[in-house]
Amino acid sequence: MARRRRQSGAAATASGELPSVELARRLGTLLTELGLTEIDVTVGEVRVRLQRGVVAPTAPALAAAASSVERPAAHTAEIESASGVTIEAPMVGTFYRASSPTADPYVSEGDVVKEGQILCIIEAMKLMNEIESKVAGRVVKIFVENAHPVEFGQSLFLIDPAR
C-alpha cells in the first residue's frame, strides 16, 4: 500500500499553489460559511488575516479602491462634533428599525426620545436584541439602513441631548 506524502513548501510552490494562498482560500470559505467578518490564523511562519467589508491598512491597492467609496464613519465624526450622543451597536448582527416588516419604525429622524426608549432591534444568531437610548433628546441622524448588517461599535444613531 503506497503512502501519499504531504508537499513541502517548495514542492507546493513548484506546483503553482503557495501554502499561504491555499490557506487563504480555505479560510475565506470558512469565513463565508460561518458568517464571520474577520479571521486571523498563524501556521508556522505564515500568517493570514482575512476581513470582510473592511480594508486592510497594509494593502495599498485596496486602500485606493476604498477611498472612492463613501464611508459612513466619516460622516459620524463630522456630526458628532455638534455635541451629539452616538448610540453604537453593542454587537454584530442585522439592524432593524421596526419589530416586523409591516410595523412602523421605532424612531425616525427628528423624533424626540426618552432615556431607555427602544430605538431599534439587532438580530444576532436568531435572537432579537432591543437597543435602547442612552439619553433623552432628539434623533438627529440614523446611520444604518433597515435590514443591513452592522458591526460591533458601529454608529447607529446620533441624538442631540435634551437640555
Side-chain angles (χ1 to χ4, degrees):
M1 186 161 143
R3 285 190 170 180
R4 186 172 177 185
R5 296 180 63 183
R6 287 187 150 187
Q7 291 182 328
S8 68
T13 305
S15 69
E17 194 69 36
L18 295 172
S20 58
V21 173
E22 179 60 27
L23 179 60
R25 284 188 179 138
R26 288 183 182 178
L27 292 175
T29 302
L30 186 62
L31 193 76
T32 303
E33 286 176 3
L34 298 178
L36 301 173
T37 56
E38 180 177 345
I39 191 165
D40 189 346
V41 175
T42 304
V43 178
E45 294 181 16
V46 177
R47 178 174 181 244
V48 176
R49 180 176 182 204
L50 299 177
Q51 290 180 308
R52 183 182 350 178
V54 179
V55 178
T58 58
L62 290 177
S67 66
S68 65
V69 177
E70 186 176 329
R71 303 203 41 114
H75 293 292
T76 304
E78 294 170 10
I79 297 172
E80 281 180 332
S81 63
S83 75
V85 174
T86 302
I87 307 297
E88 298 177 343
M91 65 195 69
V92 174
T94 304
F95 173 88
Y96 293 106
R97 292 187 58 198
S99 58
S100 73
T102 57
D104 290 332
Y106 288 110
V107 295
S108 298
E109 289 183 7
D111 287 356
V112 175
V113 296
K114 300 175 187 172
E115 184 175 347
Q117 181 177 339
I118 298 171
L119 300 174
C120 66
I121 292 176
I122 295 180
E123 177 189 2
M125 298 179 65
K126 305 291 184 195
L127 294 175
M128 300 298 181
N129 302 282
E130 296 177 336
I131 308 304
E132 300 175 350
S133 177
K134 296 185 283 188
V135 296
R138 183 174 303 276
V139 177
V140 176
K141 180 77 177 158
I142 301 173
F143 295 108
V144 183
E145 294 294 322
N146 190 46
H148 278 71
V150 293
E151 298 290 329
F152 173 78
Q154 180 177 345
S155 297
L156 303 175
F157 298 91
L158 180 65
I159 298 178
D160 184 20
R163 298 188 196 269

